[in-house]
């Protein structure tokens, strides 16, 4: 069983790798679309670093102003912060908080790791740089923490499907086998659209089509 300390160490490693990735981007790449619908790369990093810059009170007030919707608040905050902060300032926020400990409500340390890993893939996969990022072990760790309720929230139908990673020790479900790298399976279960051929199996096309960003 993975301990909280090990998860926090994995989160710090994830942030260090993301800092290196973001530090290598061109102006064009910063403004390129990510896998998150309506967000450029810059908005994704603004969102990823939001826990470092927002107090709990500020988040709660933002949700109230967004009529109780966290998703609406997060979208507004990402666009606002991406407009107000330069790429260098957002990158500094990430670099200065590599070891920052936080947990989303009810998510624990694994929730924080999941937040960083998934949004890191939203950028690296969209830019075609996922071979330079995405530790299979961290992706599998995030996958292992997903529960049926969370999977349903992403709007992906896994009925009759067994997912199996080819680069990590992880599988899920029963039925027709769909195989792929842990990072591609993670994007699939999070409803992200992917190029054809990333997954193999009879139900691969259904999962690769995605449902939301």
């Amino acid at each position: 069983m993975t301990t909280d300390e090990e998860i926090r160490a994995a989160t710090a490693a994830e942030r260090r790798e993301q800092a290196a990735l973001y530090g290598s981007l061109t102006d064009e790449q910063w403004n390129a679309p990510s896998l998150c619908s309506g967000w450029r790369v810059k908005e994704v990093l603004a969102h990823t670093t939001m826990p470092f810059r927002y107090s709990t009170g500020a988040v709660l007030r933002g949700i109230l102003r967004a009529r109780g919707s966290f998703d609406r608040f997060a979208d507004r905050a990402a666009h606002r912060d991406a407009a107000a902060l330069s790429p260098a300032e957002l990158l500094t926020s990430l670099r200065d908080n590599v070891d920052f400990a936080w947990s989303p409500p009810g998510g624990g340390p694994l929730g924080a790791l999941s937040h960083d890993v998934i949004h890191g893939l939203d950028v690296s996969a969209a830019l075609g740089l996922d071979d330079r990022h995405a530790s299979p072990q961290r992706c599998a760790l995030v996958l292992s923490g997903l529960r049926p309720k969370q999977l349903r929230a992403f709007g992906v139908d896994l009925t009759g499907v067994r997912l199996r990673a080819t680069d990590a020790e992880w599988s899920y479900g029963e039925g027709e086998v769909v195989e792929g790298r842990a990072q591609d399976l993670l994007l699939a279960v999070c409803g992200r659209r992917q190029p054809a051929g990333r997954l193999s199996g009879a139900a691969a096309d259904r999962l690769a089509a995605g449902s939301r960003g």
Side-chain angles (χ1 to χ4, degrees):
M1 181 177 179
T2 307
T3 66
D4 286 353
E5 290 74 17
E6 290 171 328
I7 294 172
R8 292 191 181 98
T11 302
E14 175 69 21
R15 291 173 183 165
R16 281 192 292 270
E17 291 184 15
Q18 285 193 26
L21 177 67
Y22 281 109
S24 72
L25 300 185
T26 64
D27 289 343
E28 182 180 9
Q29 288 171 317
W30 276 100
N31 290 294
S34 74
L35 296 187
C36 284
S37 179
W39 286 4
R40 301 168 300 167
V41 167
K42 193 177 180 185
E43 276 82 28
V44 174
L45 185 55
H47 175 72
T48 303
T49 57
M50 189 175 73
F52 313 147
R53 293 179 283 104
Y54 283 68
S55 67
T56 300
V59 171
L60 292 175
R61 289 191 295 273
I63 293 173
L64 285 174
R65 286 193 292 270
R67 302 192 302 279
S69 170
F70 175 80
D71 288 344
R72 187 180 297 115
F73 157 67
D75 184 61
R76 291 175 178 175
H79 284 287
R80 181 178 61 246
D81 293 350
L85 300 172
S86 68
E89 288 172 319
L90 290 171
L91 180 54
T92 296
S93 180
L94 177 61
R95 285 173 171 160
D96 287 351
N97 291 281
V98 163
D99 295 309
F100 183 86
W102 76 284
S103 297
L110 186 56
L113 176 64
S114 300
H115 177 263
D116 288 358
V117 168
I118 292 168
H119 286 307
L121 287 171
D122 283 332
V123 168
S124 60
L127 295 177
L129 302 175
D130 44 323
D131 287 337
R132 294 176 46 192
H133 179 54
S135 154
Q137 291 71 35
R138 287 197 292 274
C139 289
L141 186 57
V142 172
L143 283 164
S144 70
L146 292 175
R147 297 294 178 259
K149 181 179 179 181
Q150 295 167 299
L151 295 174
R152 288 193 298 271
F154 286 121
V156 177
D157 181 13
L158 295 179
T159 304
V161 174
R162 178 172 178 79
L163 304 178
R164 186 162 63 203
T166 58
D167 58 353
E169 292 295 325
W170 180 82
S171 62
Y172 176 88
E174 298 295 335
E176 296 179 340
V177 174
V178 173
E179 291 186 323
R181 295 180 300 177
Q183 66 182 40
D184 296 322
L185 293 172
L186 179 56
L187 287 172
V189 300
C190 290
R192 269 51 170 183
R193 294 184 179 276
Q194 299 182 73
R198 294 292 183 93
L199 304 176
S200 63
D205 290 343
R206 168 158 60 96
L207 294 181
S211 62
R212 58 180 291 185

